[in-house]
Each structure stands twice: as C-alpha cells, then as structure tokens.
Amino acid sequence: MSNDIEKEIGMKKKITIEGMMCGGCAKSVKEALEAVEEVKEAVVSHEEGTAIVELAGDVSDDTLETAVEDKDFVVTSIDDIQ
C-alpha cells in the first residue's frame, strides 16, 4: 500500500508542446495547467517547448492535453518522468 501512495505523491509528467513563442505563451500554458485540479505545479519553458507538471493525484493525459490545447497550442507527447 505504501508503494501506491509514494507513486501518487510527487508524480511528474513531461508535456511536449508546439507553438509557444515567448514568455507570455509559457505563462498562459502554466496558468492553464495549474488551474487543473490535482496539478501542484507546472514549470513551462517556451525555449524547450516543454512543461514539467507535478501532480498531487491522478490526472488523465487527456485532461492535461485539453488544458494546453484550449490555449491554442499543440501537445505532441506526454510522458511520465521520475
């Protein structure tokens, strides 16, 4: 049981995003992702085209993708990271 709890606490995902051109784009994506319930923090880089999202609980990839794509950016991949 403790392994299941450890997996959920501090789980991170890397989202690869196309279309972010500036700091304003990154801020928009960060705000959209952090508005999703169970997202603790999103670190977004327009230079790298990525968002590293730390989760407090279970969030589907579809939910994260929708949050980003609602801001008119394109998600190309979502990967679990340690």
Side-chain angles (χ1 to χ4, degrees):
M1 172 121 173
S2 64
N3 286 343
D4 291 336
I5 293 170
E6 288 172 15
K7 280 183 183 177
E8 284 194 27
I9 296 173
M11 182 175 22
K12 292 185 179 182
K13 293 184 181 253
K14 178 180 178 181
I15 306 170
T16 305
I17 304 164
E18 290 182 352
M20 293 189 297
M21 304 301 286
C22 64
C25 296
K27 181 180 177 190
S28 177
V29 169
K30 177 179 175 69
E31 290 171 351
L33 288 168
E34 289 181 346
V36 173
E37 190 173 339
E38 300 295 342
V39 172
K40 287 174 36 177
E41 181 182 25
V43 178
V44 182
S45 170
H46 70 276
E47 293 99 345
E48 295 181 21
T50 61
I52 305 298
V53 181
E54 186 173 354
L55 305 174
D58 192 34
V59 178
S60 74
D61 289 354
D62 288 342
T63 299
L64 296 172
E65 184 174 353
T66 298
V68 173
E69 293 190 345
D70 281 351
K71 295 295 180 182
D72 297 323
F73 300 103
V74 176
V75 172
T76 59
S77 67
I78 300 177
D79 300 298
D80 292 338
I81 57 175
Q82 296 293 337

